[in-house]
Amino acid sequence: MTRPIKLLLGCFLLASITCLGQEREKSPQDSTQVAIDSMAIDTIVIRWEQKKIDNIRKGINLQAPKVRIQSKTLAQRARFASPTSFWENSNQFTLDLTETAFVNWNAGGENAVSALGNLNFTRKYKFAHTTWDSELRLRYGINAQKGRKLRKTDDFIKFASTFGFRKDSTSKWFWSAKLNFNTQFSNGYKYPNRENPISRFMAPGYLLLGAGTTFNPEGKKFDLYLSPITQKATFVLDENLSNQGAFGVEPGERLFMQFGFLLTNNWEEELLENIFLNHRLSLYTDYINSFGNIDVDWEINLLFKVNKFIQANISGHLLYDDDIKFDEVTAEDGTVIDPGIPKVQFKQTLGLGLKYSF
């Protein structure tokens, strides 16, 4: 019997049973009706025999497939969400080289090589109303020329740290505290005299600590710091220089304290594509000893970026400190006849070198 016919017979049987049940309820007294007890029919399942497949086509496999599980290493490590960092870090090394060589040069000259290395480390923290900027700058330069010993061309250690707090997130002004520290690595000489150093490590050394306010607009590499209360300490830890009263200390003393007003300004701007201007200015005047006489420390650098690793730069550095005297006149017994006068100091460099950030 075919499947459609079986299905129709099943439906007919179900309908017949239902009708008999209804008639039984209407005429309980009629004995000629078929007696069917009351029952509840929820589901009728009709099953038919499944026939086996007699003819199996060639190439058909009725067995359950075998699943082979093979693990492979990930080509790339999974990335996990990391919390937002409020620190901005920068590490940079530059090396400028200058070389001059002569072979049978009629005009004369001596072979020479100059090298100038710079290391800059910056750490900047910014969260909500708080900022903390720190920078360490190290520089050292040497010159080697045929027929004479190595000479130092540049040398400094500079550290600056500024902590700021503002009352709301829209203000450009911060209440700030600032610390500056400056000194040098090795002895300085007035060449060709190499017997008597005119400066050493921590002779001089400068420490400035004060509080004030900073103007720092959002999204710009510009800050202006004004401090009406800044303590300046000048250290001369070399005995000979201390006895000479160098760098403003009293003869025999190793520390000279000042209290005054400090203004600093840092600004960096991209003038043209891959041409950057970097400007640093520091002005300080002492309230007690010589108010109105301003110490100046001004650096300006023009950077030409060739590619990621090569850059050229032109820099100028101007210094004026009333406590640093020149043209001192002394007698044969060492007595100072004329302490000398302060002068403007200026240094200019031009270099092409390598740059590496890490």
Side-chain angles (χ1 to χ4, degrees):
M1 185 179 295
T2 62
R3 183 177 297 180
I5 296 176
K6 290 181 179 181
L7 184 60
L8 289 174
L9 289 177
C11 294
F12 176 76
L13 178 61
L14 178 62
S16 299
I17 295 174
T18 304
C19 292
L20 289 175
Q22 292 176 353
E23 292 296 330
R24 177 69 177 173
E25 291 177 358
K26 291 180 180 180
S27 305
Q29 307 297 329
D30 191 356
S31 59
T32 62
Q33 302 295 326
V34 178
I36 300 177
D37 293 336
S38 62
M39 59 183 176
I41 300 175
D42 295 332
T43 305
I44 295 178
V45 179
I46 301 174
R47 304 177 183 273
W48 56 84
E49 184 182 358
Q50 299 290 334
K51 293 184 177 181
K52 295 182 178 181
I53 300 175
D54 296 331
N55 299 323
I56 301 176
R57 293 183 181 181
K58 185 178 180 180
I60 297 179
N61 185 9
L62 298 181
Q63 295 180 355
K66 295 181 179 180
V67 180
R68 299 178 63 185
I69 301 176
Q70 294 181 348
S71 60
K72 296 182 178 180
T73 58
L74 295 175
Q76 187 175 4
R77 183 177 296 180
R79 295 182 179 180
F80 299 96
S82 57
T84 302
S85 175
F86 302 102
W87 287 92
E88 179 182 343
N89 303 331
S90 174
N91 307 309
Q92 188 178 104
F93 170 74
T94 61
L95 178 63
D96 296 335
L97 297 172
T98 303
E99 187 266 345
T100 305
F102 301 91
V103 177
N104 300 325
W105 191 252
N106 183 59
E110 295 291 343
N111 297 342
V113 176
S114 296
L116 178 63
N118 292 273
L119 269 173
N120 290 354
F121 304 93
T122 61
R123 298 292 184 270
K124 295 183 179 182
Y125 174 83
K126 187 174 184 180
F127 176 72
H129 305 159
T130 304
T131 63
W132 185 17
D133 298 345
S134 299
E135 180 181 31
L136 175 63
R137 302 169 60 206
L138 310 174
R139 177 181 293 180
Y140 199 84
I142 57 174
N143 174 265
Q145 189 171 342
K146 184 178 179 181
R148 68 181 188 185
K149 296 181 180 179
L150 290 177
R151 292 188 177 187
K152 183 173 69 172
T153 59
D154 206 344
D155 182 8
F156 69 63
I157 302 171
K158 292 188 176 183
F159 176 74
S161 184
T162 305
F163 180 84
F165 179 82
R166 58 183 175 179
K167 61 180 182 180
D168 57 66
S169 59
T170 61
S171 177
K172 300 178 182 179
W173 289 91
F174 294 78
W175 298 107
S176 303
K178 190 177 187 70
L179 180 146
N180 280 4
F181 172 76
N182 302 334
T183 188
Q184 63 189 50
F185 284 101
S186 61
N187 295 350
Y189 298 95
K190 189 175 182 179
Y191 297 108
N193 183 357
R194 293 176 177 269
E195 299 296 328
N196 302 311
I198 59 174
S199 62
R200 291 179 180 269
F201 175 75
M202 289 301 293
Y206 299 101
L207 177 66
L208 292 91
L209 180 63
T213 182
T214 301
F215 176 71
N216 190 355
E218 191 76 24
K220 293 185 178 294
K221 295 183 178 181
F222 177 93
D223 68 80
L224 176 66
Y225 171 76
L226 303 171
S227 173
I229 47 172
T230 297
Q231 185 78 46
K232 179 181 179 181
T234 302
F235 300 90
V236 182
L237 302 186
D238 179 77
E239 184 176 359
N240 292 331
L241 295 174
S242 172
N243 292 335
Q244 296 173 16
F247 308 107
V249 299
E250 294 293 330
E253 299 292 332
R254 300 195 176 190
L255 178 63
F256 176 46
M257 300 294 293
Q258 295 174 280
F259 183 77
F261 182 92
L262 175 66
L263 179 150
T264 65
N265 176 227
N266 296 324
W267 173 48
E268 184 176 337
E269 185 71 24
E270 185 174 8
L271 302 179
L272 296 172
E273 185 178 2
N274 294 329
I275 300 178
F276 300 87
L277 176 68
N278 185 286
H279 154 88
R280 302 170 184 268
L281 176 66
S282 175
L283 304 175
Y284 180 81
T285 185
D286 181 48
Y287 290 138
I288 302 173
N289 298 317
S290 55
F291 180 72
N293 189 16
I294 301 174
D295 296 338
V296 181
D297 186 347
W298 181 29
E299 293 181 64
I300 186 165
N301 299 282
L302 195 61
L303 301 177
F304 302 87
K305 184 178 179 182
V306 179
N307 55 37
K308 184 178 180 181
F309 299 105
I310 300 177
Q311 71 176 16
N313 67 82
I314 302 174
S315 64
H317 192 179
L318 184 146
L319 286 173
Y320 178 82
D321 190 338
D322 187 60
D323 298 317
I324 301 177
K325 311 293 185 179
F326 293 86
D327 301 331
E328 182 184 66
V329 179
T330 58
E332 294 182 357
D333 59 355
T335 305
V336 177
I337 301 174
D338 185 354
I341 58 174
K343 291 184 178 181
V344 174
Q345 307 171 55
F346 181 75
K347 178 181 61 180
Q348 182 269 329
T349 58
L350 170 63
L352 173 66
L354 304 176
K355 172 186 173 183
Y356 176 69
S357 299
F358 57 97

